[in-house]
Amino acid sequence: MSAFEFVAVLFSVIVGLAISHLLSAASELIEVHHRVKTYWVNSLWMVTVFIWGIFTWWGMWPLNDLEMWTYPSFFLVVINLSGIYLMTTLVLPKAPDTGVIDLEKHFFLVHRIFFIITAYNFASIILINHFIFFKAIFSPFTIMPFLLTFLSIYGAITKSKRYHGFLSVFTFISLIIFMSLDITIIK
């Protein structure tokens, strides 16, 4: 067993649980859709976090090129993946047995912690690129994560619906652009 195979087991479990949790929560809401009051910002974040989880798993492949793993580098990746898991647990509410499920109300109930976690997740991407892949702190690989870190911090502070609409669209588009630029091929 290679070092990557060893560490990738936990990485895959965390990402797998995150995706599983999100799909399960979405399935529960679909079952009671007649009681769900949707909110487009929340729905877009659900899609974004789902794609983010899948893209993160795909993006772990370059870690295969590392010859050696240290506990700090392993822990840094686990911290990043844990953020993705936590975002998946917050983006959708648990479906109660009765009553209307208002996704806008839920979004603003959890937005502070959701965006604090999102900010630390983007910040951990910067650290992973720097300490594991030896990219400069300020490089093409860190410009967008830096920007999204600060935008997410402001997202945690404000309750502006207009800003949250902008942030959800901007983050989604940024993720799609970043994915389209990824040339990772798994052989």
Side-chain angles (χ1 to χ4, degrees):
M1 175 181 283
S2 72
F4 175 71
E5 290 170 332
F6 178 75
V7 299
V9 170
L10 183 59
F11 299 165
S12 297
V13 167
I14 295 169
V15 173
L17 287 172
I19 292 170
S20 174
H21 179 84
L22 187 62
L23 293 174
S24 178
S27 174
E28 288 178 18
L29 293 176
I30 290 168
E31 286 180 21
V32 296
H33 68 278
H34 59 282
R35 294 191 293 120
V36 177
K37 183 179 173 194
T38 60
Y39 179 48
W40 74 271
V41 170
N42 187 269
S43 299
L44 185 55
W45 272 111
M46 186 207 65
V47 171
T48 300
V49 170
F50 177 73
I51 293 170
W52 192 344
I54 291 175
F55 181 63
T56 299
W57 183 81
W58 185 264
M60 287 190 304
W61 183 252
L63 296 173
N64 187 35
D65 295 335
L66 297 179
E67 294 180 19
M68 176 181 78
W69 279 88
T70 62
Y71 185 72
S73 61
F74 173 74
F75 190 71
L76 184 57
V77 175
V78 170
I79 289 291
N80 175 269
L81 298 175
S82 298
I84 291 170
Y85 178 83
L86 292 171
M87 287 186 293
T88 66
T89 65
L90 291 170
V91 74
L92 293 176
K94 294 185 187 298
D97 293 333
T98 61
V100 173
I101 303 163
D102 187 337
L103 294 182
E104 182 177 352
K105 182 178 178 184
H106 170 76
F107 179 82
F108 286 103
L109 282 173
V110 301
H111 87 280
R112 279 189 167 78
I113 190 67
F114 179 83
F115 286 108
I116 288 168
I117 292 167
T118 302
Y120 104 68
N121 195 270
F122 283 123
S124 71
I125 291 169
I126 296 164
L127 297 175
I128 287 169
N129 278 313
H130 182 68
F131 290 110
I132 295 178
F133 293 114
F134 306 108
K135 306 290 184 195
I137 282 287
F138 297 107
S139 73
F141 296 95
T142 62
I143 292 169
M144 194 56 68
F146 262 118
L147 178 60
L148 288 166
T149 297
F150 292 111
L151 292 173
S152 296
I153 290 168
Y154 187 68
I157 297 167
T158 187
K159 287 191 173 190
S160 166
K161 290 181 184 181
R162 183 175 237 156
Y163 181 80
H164 283 287
F166 157 77
L167 184 56
S168 66
V169 171
F170 185 79
T171 305
F172 178 76
I173 291 171
S174 298
L175 180 62
I176 297 302
I177 290 170
F178 194 70
M179 285 174 53
S180 68
L181 297 174
D182 186 354
I183 56 168
T184 301
I185 297 173
I186 298 175
K187 296 181 185 179

